[in-house]
Amino acid sequence: MTVSLDQLRRCHLAVDLGAARTRVYIKGLGLVVDEPSVAAVNTRTGSLIAVGTLAEQMTGRTPGYIRVARPVSGGTVVDIDMAQRMLRHLLGEKLRRQLRRKPRLRAAACTPHESDPLAQRATVETLVGLGARRVELVDTLIAAAVGCGMPVEQPTATMIMVCGAATTQIAVLSLGSIVTAVRIPIGGEAIDHAVIQYLRQHHQLMLPSQSVRPLQLALSGGGLTPGGPAVTDIHGRDVATGLARTVQVDTAAVRQAIHAPLTAVLDGLGKVLRDCPPDLVADIADSGITMVGGSALLPGLDEMLRDATGVPVHIAERPDVCAVLGLGAMLDGQIQPLVLNPLAG
């Protein structure tokens, strides 16, 4: 799936279509789009009402004839036509006019590790619909590792963990390639769902869709660690009466509910380390694990992984945009491959 750096240098734009956010990098301009992957459609006329942040704010607040669509799920385009319309509006007329001037427009895109050919084809078709004559696909793990400044082209092990909204990908990289990797269908959305289910079952409370994020809950004090406040006031709607209600929630119990889906992530992390050659594991013990992706910012998650593995865990400087910045670095020619000169006989 990973193409050569020479082919990527010929590309004009890079796209990271994520389940939560869509990001576009244009050569010479930098990161020009960083918006939620959401579009609002009028079902009566089929017209697009809003995209990005405005469409996300409409979630759960629209009349019956307006549908809020998410054309990307788990890093895979599930609605090609809607994804194309969303990208056109996010880019805007001015940027699209600049791209149309390119005689042979080339694009690069991130795809999840071991994505099936149908998912790759959907990504290609989406960008072809924007006018791209050729689309290069790059594994998200490699793009994210490049974006956070890891020496992926060197003969040393680097371990990266991409924490997305729908999936978590973990890999060990060496010499610019993936040595071993795993993709787990658990991400930030699963953690949100665990919090919703806990509050519904134990407190008969429904949360508004916009205030589900655990980062906005009272975990802000200590996160997943036990150092935060003991109880927290949470506002929501009573399941039985439908009226607004405030309950005091034990934060330790909420932390336990969040830990449940994260056990699958810990299992995947252990599998990657077990499948990795011993020499590379020794490198990882020194360099540690680098976390990228929007869900990497969940408070206390890095400490939880550090305690479970005994390996240093670091969060990248800009974890949410590492993948698209890595693609941009490849487009701009900032990454040089390791040159192996043949031995003189």
Side-chain angles (χ1 to χ4, degrees):
M1 186 193 302
T2 305
V3 294
S4 71
L5 291 173
D6 288 337
Q7 289 174 313
L8 285 171
R9 288 193 191 102
R10 299 191 192 114
C11 294
H12 303 97
L13 77 154
V15 179
D16 179 15
L17 283 167
R21 299 184 75 86
T22 293
R23 300 174 177 94
V24 180
Y25 183 102
I26 295 182
K27 185 186 286 187
L29 296 177
L31 187 64
V32 295
V33 173
D34 184 3
E35 293 277 343
S37 303
V38 189
V41 187
N42 187 326
T43 56
R44 294 173 180 171
T45 63
S47 60
L48 209 59
I49 297 174
V51 295
T53 303
L54 181 58
E56 189 178 48
Q57 291 171 353
M58 293 182 180
T59 305
R61 296 184 169 94
T62 59
Y65 66 92
I66 295 178
R67 178 173 66 94
V68 178
R70 293 182 177 271
V72 185
S73 175
T76 301
V77 178
V78 293
D79 188 339
I80 295 175
D81 178 61
M82 186 61 66
Q84 289 175 351
R85 294 172 69 185
M86 179 185 74
L87 273 173
R88 287 194 196 102
H89 281 79
L90 287 176
L91 283 170
E93 183 60 33
K94 183 179 178 182
L95 285 175
R96 280 188 287 137
R97 197 180 302 118
Q98 290 182 18
L99 293 175
R100 278 198 295 266
R101 295 196 191 107
K102 310 289 183 185
R104 288 188 59 82
L105 182 65
R106 288 181 175 229
C110 292
T111 54
H113 180 66
E114 290 185 344
S115 57
D116 58 84
L118 203 60
Q120 296 178 27
R121 183 67 183 171
T123 303
V124 171
E125 289 291 335
T126 300
L127 296 182
V128 167
L130 288 178
R133 297 293 186 89
R134 184 179 174 120
V135 180
E136 312 289 359
L137 300 180
V138 180
D139 197 302
T140 302
L141 290 162
I142 293 179
V146 171
C148 61
M150 299 172 73
V152 291
E153 73 280 359
Q154 298 300 318
T156 56
T158 51
M159 190 168 188
I160 188 164
M161 183 173 174
V162 180
C163 308
T167 59
T168 299
Q169 303 172 68
I170 308 167
V172 174
L173 310 175
S174 181
L175 286 172
S177 299
I178 295 173
V179 178
T180 178
V182 67
R183 183 180 171 198
I184 307 153
I186 297 291
E189 292 173 355
I191 296 171
D192 293 351
H193 184 68
V195 174
I196 292 172
Q197 288 298 102
Y198 170 80
L199 293 173
R200 188 183 181 100
Q201 291 173 5
H202 294 83
H203 297 277
Q204 288 73 50
L205 194 74
M206 291 180 65
L207 286 183
S209 59
Q210 299 297 321
S211 27
V212 172
R213 297 302 300 169
L215 295 176
Q216 299 170 4
L217 256 49
L219 302 173
S220 57
L224 297 177
T225 58
V231 292
T232 307
D233 291 336
I234 295 183
H235 311 286
R237 191 180 77 180
D238 190 280
V239 173
T241 65
L243 300 175
R245 186 160 65 95
T246 301
V247 297
Q248 279 200 337
V249 177
D250 181 10
T251 51
V254 178
R255 284 196 297 269
Q256 191 60 39
I258 288 176
H259 276 212
L262 291 178
T263 54
V265 176
L266 293 176
D267 292 342
L269 195 59
K271 181 181 184 302
V272 170
L273 289 172
R274 286 193 301 272
D275 294 345
C276 190
D279 290 344
L280 296 183
V281 174
D283 291 343
I284 294 168
D286 294 332
S287 60
I289 304 168
T290 302
M291 295 174 61
V292 301
S295 299
L297 297 171
L298 184 66
L301 179 57
D302 54 338
E303 294 181 22
M304 177 184 169
L305 296 176
R306 192 179 300 118
D307 294 340
T309 61
V311 175
V313 179
H314 319 285
I315 300 177
E317 187 176 345
R318 298 178 65 188
D320 50 341
V321 294
C322 279
V324 72
L325 291 181
L327 279 180
M330 296 180 195
L331 263 62
D332 293 336
Q334 297 176 13
I335 308 300
Q336 299 297 327
L338 182 66
V339 178
L340 300 177
N341 293 321
L343 296 175

